[in-house]
Amino acid sequence: MDLLKERIMKDGTALSDTVLKVDEFLNHQIDPELMVEIGKEFKRRFSNKKIDKILTLESSGIAPSVMAGLEFGVPVVFARKRKSLTLDDGLLTADVYSYTKQETNNIAVAEKFITPGDNILIIDDFLANGEAANALIHIVKKAQANVSGIGIVIEKSFQKGGRELRDNGYHVESLARIESLSEGSIKFLDEVTN
Amino acid sequence: MDLLKERIMKDGTALSDTVLKVDEFLNHQIDPELMVEIGKEFKRRFSNKKIDKILTLESSGIAPSVMAGLEFGVPVVFARKRKSLTLDDGLLTADVYSYTKQETNNIAVAEKFITPGDNILIIDDFLANGEAANALIHIVKKAQANVSGIGIVIEKSFQKGGRELRDNGYHVESLARIESLSEGSIKFLDEVTN
């Protein structure tokens, strides 16, 4: 998605070999117009899939998901990060290890919002080692629902998440795929534009 | 806003005299179409104000704010809730006491996103005692920016936040104002429809 790649080049910062900062338009400040275009692009890439609902993770996944939800005409559910492990009643839960923060969070979705047979599009802002995506997949499976696809705004292709998910048969669409962040320079993976 | 009130009556639940659950369309599951209408209504209600940026609080404030940002043609910044009080460098911070959770959270916005003279529309999902709104006002003032208005999706008018903010001269617009949640029944404040 050229518009997104251009924006990453303009406003993104490679803080290290593994950390890309995009707080100008996605992670802290949000550009609503860009989110509309991201929603449309997800719709285009998953146009052949049956999607009943979008599942994301608070907070940075919410804006792109809501715009995608508008395009697909479906509700969006965001998993909540939880401090404590109390009160699992009526909740679908999973653990997410954050390499960046070096801590494990528990995430939860109310059972009533994902029901057996639902076709779920998972959307998230970043895909790196796949921890968040796998936790969301775990929640969908616990609910006996189906993962129709995984839509990612920015994939760090040099980390293992994307490869593993595709190897496991998931349809992953990443709107920008980063090949390298070495030496403060952002390089995209060469892709055939479709 | 009739559409919102109808939705609250249909899907909202008065869990107690003070707690209204709206996780079907706003706080956990999000209805994107309703968010579009909420964005348009905020635009209508603040159409005479100069707005450079929208400031909200993660996570439930994000969806209505992004749709409002689209209508106003301005960026949205969401304040982050923080676990620890480390690393204040370059951050505008404030404390928020949650009566529901009975805990104090620190919220933070990067200084670079609110600059002196900016005209800020604060948007949040709920207004009860005004803790979150006052913390966001505090952040705007710290940045030497101006509060152009405060847009609230659901105001619990029987709690003090809305009255105090209006008494202090702020232009507060709440799309639904709840007069009472007593005995499991949701009652709206009588308002002249404008």
Side-chain angles (χ1 to χ4, degrees):
Chain A
M1 186 185 172
D2 290 342
L3 184 72
L4 175 63
K5 290 182 184 173
E6 287 161 15
R7 190 60 178 275
I8 292 169
M9 290 311 288
K10 180 174 168 275
D11 287 327
T13 310
L15 287 186
S16 74
D17 285 4
T18 55
V19 180
L20 175 65
K21 194 169 184 180
V22 288
D23 65 352
E24 292 276 347
F25 56 90
L26 181 61
N27 280 335
H28 187 11
Q29 181 164 261
I30 302 170
D31 177 344
E33 295 280 357
L34 181 63
M35 296 303 122
V36 169
E37 297 306 319
I38 284 172
K40 287 179 182 169
E41 183 67 13
F42 280 133
K43 169 69 179 171
R44 199 178 70 77
R45 297 203 184 194
F46 292 103
S47 56
N48 62 338
K49 292 289 168 78
K50 174 102 177 69
I51 312 281
D52 300 314
K53 201 167 274 197
I54 292 170
L55 176 64
T56 189
L57 183 58
E58 64 179 352
S59 290
S60 298
I62 294 175
S65 295
V66 170
M67 292 306 183
L70 204 58
E71 294 296 324
F72 284 99
V74 301
V76 172
V77 175
F78 63 90
R80 291 191 168 277
K81 293 169 186 162
R82 305 196 305 159
K83 282 178 188 171
S84 66
L85 298 177
T86 53
L87 280 175
D88 263 23
D89 229 32
L91 294 179
L92 303 158
T93 65
D95 282 334
V96 184
Y97 178 73
S98 166
Y99 286 84
T100 319
K101 294 180 186 165
Q102 297 198 310
E103 63 181 23
T104 298
N105 277 296
N106 190 255
I107 66 169
V109 173
E111 277 175 0
K112 64 178 174 177
F113 291 130
I114 304 184
T115 47
D118 274 352
N119 298 294
I120 307 290
L121 174 60
I122 291 171
I123 287 184
D124 206 4
D125 57 338
F126 270 97
L127 174 61
N129 288 298
E131 287 285 327
N134 279 307
L136 293 171
I137 289 169
H138 186 71
I139 281 175
V140 173
K141 287 188 171 173
K142 263 191 178 175
Q144 297 177 274
N146 313 310
V147 177
S148 295
I150 300 167
I152 300 293
V153 181
I154 303 173
E155 176 181 342
K156 294 189 278 186
S157 297
F158 55 89
Q159 289 175 299
K160 67 182 169 126
R163 192 178 59 249
E164 285 183 357
L165 289 169
R166 290 180 183 97
D167 285 350
N168 288 331
Y170 291 104
H171 178 182
V172 181
E173 291 284 348
S174 302
L175 306 191
R177 299 180 73 185
I178 311 281
E179 185 178 42
S180 160
L181 295 170
S182 293
E183 295 169 7
S185 164
I186 302 165
K187 289 200 183 68
F188 294 103
L189 201 69
D190 279 331
E191 287 181 283
V192 178
T193 309
N194 57 355
Chain B
M1 186 184 172
D2 290 342
L3 185 71
L4 175 62
K5 289 183 185 174
E6 287 161 16
R7 190 60 177 275
I8 293 168
M9 289 310 288
K10 178 173 168 279
D11 287 326
T13 310
L15 288 185
S16 73
D17 284 4
T18 56
V19 179
L20 175 66
K21 195 168 185 181
V22 288
D23 65 352
E24 292 276 346
F25 57 91
L26 181 60
N27 280 334
H28 187 12
Q29 179 164 262
I30 301 170
D31 177 343
E33 295 280 356
L34 180 64
M35 295 304 123
V36 169
E37 296 305 319
I38 284 172
K40 287 179 181 170
E41 182 70 11
F42 279 134
K43 170 69 178 169
R44 200 177 69 79
R45 297 205 185 193
F46 293 103
S47 57
N48 61 337
K49 292 289 168 77
K50 175 101 175 69
I51 312 281
D52 300 313
K53 201 166 274 198
I54 290 170
L55 176 64
T56 188
L57 182 57
E58 65 179 353
S59 292
S60 298
I62 294 175
S65 295
V66 170
M67 293 306 183
L70 204 58
E71 295 295 325
F72 284 100
V74 302
V76 172
V77 175
F78 62 90
R80 290 191 169 278
K81 292 168 187 162
R82 305 198 302 160
K83 281 180 188 170
S84 65
L85 297 178
T86 53
L87 282 174
D88 264 21
D89 231 33
L91 295 179
L92 303 158
T93 64
D95 283 335
V96 183
Y97 178 74
S98 165
Y99 286 86
T100 319
K101 295 179 185 166
Q102 297 198 311
E103 63 182 21
T104 298
N105 277 294
N106 190 255
I107 67 170
V109 173
E111 276 174 1
K112 63 177 175 179
F113 292 131
I114 305 183
T115 47
D118 274 351
N119 298 294
I120 307 290
L121 174 61
I122 291 171
I123 287 183
D124 206 5
D125 57 337
F126 269 97
L127 173 61
N129 287 299
E131 287 286 326
N134 280 305
L136 293 170
I137 290 170
H138 186 70
I139 282 175
V140 173
K141 287 187 171 174
K142 262 190 177 174
Q144 298 179 275
N146 313 311
V147 177
S148 295
I150 300 166
I152 300 294
V153 181
I154 302 173
E155 176 181 342
K156 294 189 278 186
S157 298
F158 55 89
Q159 288 173 301
K160 68 185 167 116
R163 191 178 60 247
E164 284 182 359
L165 289 169
R166 290 179 183 99
D167 285 350
N168 288 331
Y170 291 105
H171 178 181
V172 181
E173 291 283 348
S174 302
L175 306 191
R177 299 179 74 186
I178 310 280
E179 186 179 42
S180 158
L181 295 170
S182 294
E183 295 168 6
S185 163
I186 302 166
K187 288 200 182 69
F188 293 103
L189 201 68
D190 279 331
E191 286 181 283
V192 179
T193 309
N194 57 357

